[in-house]
Amino acid sequence: MGQEIDHTHFKASDFTRFRTHLEAETRLAREWFQQGRFVHDDPVAGFEIEAWLLDRHEGPAPLNEAFLRQFDDPMATPELAAFNIEVNTHPHPLKGRALGLIHREMSATWQRALEAAEAVGARALMTGILPTLRPEHLRLGNMSSMKRYRALNREVFRSRQGRPVRLDIAGREHLLHLHRDVMLEAATTSFQIHLQTPPDTAHQVYNAAIIASAPMVAAGANAPFLFGKDLWDETRIPVFEQAVEVGGYEEVARGPLRRVSFGSGYARESILECFEENLAHFPVLLPMCSDTPPERFPHLRLHNGTIWRWNRPLIGFDDEGRPHVRIEHRVLPSGPTLADSMANAAFFYGLVEDLLTEPGGPESLIPFAAAKDNFYQSARLGLAAVLQWRHGERIGIQDLILDELLPRARHGLQRLGLARADSHHYLEILAERVRSGRNGARWQRDFVARHGRDMPALTRALRRHQATDDPVHQWDLQPVSPEDSESC
């Protein structure tokens, strides 16, 4: 969905023609896999950081066009809402001092983002859901001006016969809300981890990422509140799954292949199975036909961009024009800090690498159904979740991470050839967060328990602490006055 399209209205013939192109490109991808034409280089890391633009009252500021002109860098792009932005890192081979190097690059980029926001009268914040967000902010008047978003809204609601989206989340409290456009998706922002991987093992990397999703979301949860309600530890998960649900209520009930989902199962022999599933089971949503050569897979990539698995395989191209495969790990929220984000990334890269050594492959560790249940339990309960592990054992997520998964992640980072000092530094941040039980969601709830549901005050405190880049488990619960927040 990162690519722009030419228009927003489609005819039946557009869908037919797009489908023809999609079938041809899916066959071509399979042929190229069999011919070994995809890049077989060592693993490569990359990241997307989604963030919020805020006004002087800590509410969302729909200023991303002005921000992007000021930032003036193709590594930043708009998101669905005009108060959201995305900044990206360059790809880095996963070896040596890559973790520290990426952290420094992200810090420099984020500092530039803060300065660009200030120059247009705004502030910037990384957090999974903005505490001050209200339903009235999520309206079409606050949608970014790109045509692909208008087309997405039109086609989603055409497929739903105009029925509103029904947001129904039962957490610590219950939220029921009806919405008549796709702007609910803009309630969530994420930190997306990319892992470019050799094609012959990409299906096992994908399976390992699926298994890692539960501990990742439990440790990294940072979105407990929406519209003032206390819901899941990572409320982004049910919000996004319900916000872009295509089809009416009857179609939704059919399961299990929804456009936003945990997926339908492990990959068996090739990552191409996911793209073939896209072709077989997901109707075309945006039939924007392209004259781009099929060797660039324009229709396959656009169609894949309208299917949001929490672990999504992607086909891309390197600087030399060679095709590669990468896995986009989408379960993590934005924030609380870049240090926390890098700790999460180190844990992910190390754990996935070590899961590849599992006898019989990662998928032999637990059934897919258990991995899926673990994920939703972890999104709901965070570090209080109890998961199903090998041989059906039930184990608390904190014990599982500290006793088994962190040692595996350390071993995986060693296998990748990452600097031992960097690996220790970032994994220790995650270990201390898990030992303390204070992920971002827990800190936000602790702040509210002490100061009440003053969401502007919570947002000011988030900005103050984020500016220090101190990990969230070290944060205090002191409020920040509106006057003092000017220096944050």
Side-chain angles (χ1 to χ4, degrees):
M1 281 300 294
Q3 63 200 87
E4 182 57 308
I5 62 177
D6 293 337
H7 54 268
T8 61
H9 292 78
F10 305 106
K11 304 186 294 292
S13 59
D14 294 324
F15 288 88
T16 301
R17 192 155 63 97
F18 189 98
R19 173 83 186 187
T20 300
H21 289 304
L22 180 60
E23 290 172 349
E25 290 172 15
T26 304
R27 287 194 301 271
L28 181 62
R30 172 63 73 176
E31 292 170 7
W32 280 22
F33 254 63
Q34 294 169 346
Q35 295 166 5
R37 296 182 63 173
F38 280 76
V39 172
H40 284 73
D41 293 347
D42 292 335
V44 175
F47 304 93
E48 300 175 31
I49 305 170
E50 298 172 352
W52 300 81
L53 295 175
L54 309 183
D55 61 23
R56 297 298 174 181
H57 304 288
E58 310 298 341
L63 296 170
N64 65 6
E65 287 190 4
F67 169 88
L68 292 169
R69 285 194 299 269
Q70 183 69 31
F71 193 77
D72 192 26
D73 190 324
M75 298 302 284
T77 60
E79 283 289 301
L80 172 63
F83 44 72
N84 293 145
I85 56 172
E86 176 187 301
V87 293
N88 297 274
T89 66
H90 295 282
H92 292 269
L94 263 178
K95 59 184 178 182
R97 302 303 299 268
L99 297 176
L101 175 63
I102 294 168
H103 190 179
R104 289 190 294 275
E105 178 189 321
M106 288 197 303
S107 296
T109 301
W110 183 244
Q111 182 58 41
R112 288 180 54 220
L114 293 173
E115 293 167 359
E118 183 177 4
V120 300
R123 296 143 168 180
L125 176 69
M126 296 176 288
T127 193
I129 296 175
L130 182 64
T132 55
L133 186 71
R134 303 300 305 167
E136 56 267 26
H137 296 134
L138 300 173
R139 55 186 177 84
L140 290 180
N142 283 333
M143 180 180 278
S144 291
S145 61
M146 299 185 75
K147 292 178 181 177
R148 72 175 185 262
Y149 295 131
R150 306 287 170 179
L152 176 68
N153 185 71
R154 186 183 305 278
E155 292 304 315
V156 165
F157 280 85
R158 182 189 61 79
S159 72
R160 296 179 61 87
Q161 293 86 45
R163 296 185 180 103
V165 171
R166 186 172 187 267
L167 191 63
D168 189 351
I169 304 174
R172 294 191 176 193
E173 297 173 343
H174 183 213
L175 175 65
L176 181 61
H177 172 75
L178 297 181
H179 212 81
R180 297 188 179 277
D181 52 59
V182 297
M183 285 293 285
L184 270 177
E185 178 194 337
T188 69
T189 52
S190 61
F191 175 71
Q192 296 175 17
I193 300 175
H194 288 243
L195 176 56
Q196 182 181 319
T197 182
D200 54 348
T201 57
H203 64 294
Q204 290 190 316
V205 173
Y206 173 71
N207 294 344
I210 285 172
I211 293 168
S213 295
M216 290 296 298
V217 79
N222 189 38
F225 298 107
L226 175 62
F227 305 156
K229 295 279 191 177
D230 187 349
L231 300 169
W232 292 17
D233 266 40
E234 192 48 45
T235 305
R236 284 175 48 257
I237 303 303
V239 170
F240 195 69
E241 289 197 353
Q242 296 177 37
V244 197
E245 186 57 69
V246 174
Y249 303 133
E250 297 82 359
E251 289 86 347
V252 170
R254 293 174 186 170
L257 297 186
R258 300 182 179 185
R259 293 193 95 98
V260 184
S261 77
F262 195 65
S264 61
Y266 291 130
R268 297 178 297 277
E269 298 177 355
S270 169
I271 198 63
L272 261 295
E273 294 162 15
C274 293
F275 296 95
E276 289 163 347
E277 180 180 87
N278 292 353
L279 173 65
H281 295 288
F282 292 96
V284 172
L285 191 60
L286 294 178
M288 187 64 230
C289 296
S290 171
D291 294 329
T292 302
E295 291 79 11
R296 300 293 294 185
F297 304 107
H299 303 88
L300 179 148
R301 295 170 73 194
L302 177 57
H303 185 55
N304 188 52
T306 66
I307 300 160
W308 294 270
R309 297 177 181 88
W310 290 111
N311 293 281
R312 179 163 62 180
L314 302 172
I315 290 176
F317 294 85
D318 64 16
D319 291 339
E320 300 174 18
R322 301 179 301 167
H324 66 249
V325 175
R326 64 185 188 272
I327 305 302
E328 181 185 47
H329 187 63
R330 303 167 52 83
V331 310
L332 288 173
S334 186
T337 65
L338 292 175
D340 286 303
S341 297
M342 283 308 305
N344 295 336
F347 183 45
F348 175 77
Y349 288 134
L351 180 55
V352 166
E353 177 66 22
D354 198 68
L355 286 172
L356 298 180
T357 68
E358 191 73 23
E363 59 276 8
S364 67
L365 183 62
I366 55 174
F368 176 81
K372 181 178 180 179
D373 184 64
N374 288 347
F375 173 67
Y376 290 106
Q377 289 293 327
S378 297
R380 182 179 293 109
L381 301 174
L383 290 170
V386 176
L387 306 189
Q388 178 179 329
W389 206 237
R390 64 176 82 241
H391 309 307
E393 173 191 6
R394 305 292 296 182
I395 184 169
I397 189 66
Q398 286 177 286
D399 290 340
L400 177 63
I401 291 173
L402 293 171
D403 296 343
E404 178 175 345
L405 302 186
L406 271 169
R408 294 195 71 157
R410 290 190 181 94
H411 184 252
L413 294 179
Q414 291 174 13
R415 277 171 45 91
L416 287 167
L418 285 155
R420 189 179 297 269
D422 281 356
S423 299
H424 175 78
H425 171 71
Y426 291 111
L427 290 184
E428 193 58 27
I429 289 174
L430 190 129
E432 288 301 319
R433 188 197 312 156
V434 173
R435 289 189 192 107
S436 69
R438 181 177 276 187
N439 55 20
R442 173 66 179 274
W443 182 87
Q444 290 192 44
R445 286 186 172 126
D446 287 350
F447 186 94
V448 166
R450 178 171 295 188
H451 302 291
R453 295 200 187 187
D454 184 342
M455 294 311 182
L458 173 58
T459 305
R460 284 194 297 272
L462 285 169
R463 287 198 299 108
R464 174 174 69 89
H465 286 297
Q466 193 168 99
T468 69
D469 206 27
D470 293 333
V472 67
H473 68 273
Q474 298 177 3
W475 291 7
D476 63 41
L477 296 172
Q478 296 304 309
V480 182
S481 70
E483 295 77 18
D484 290 342
S485 74
E486 294 297 324
S487 62
C488 293

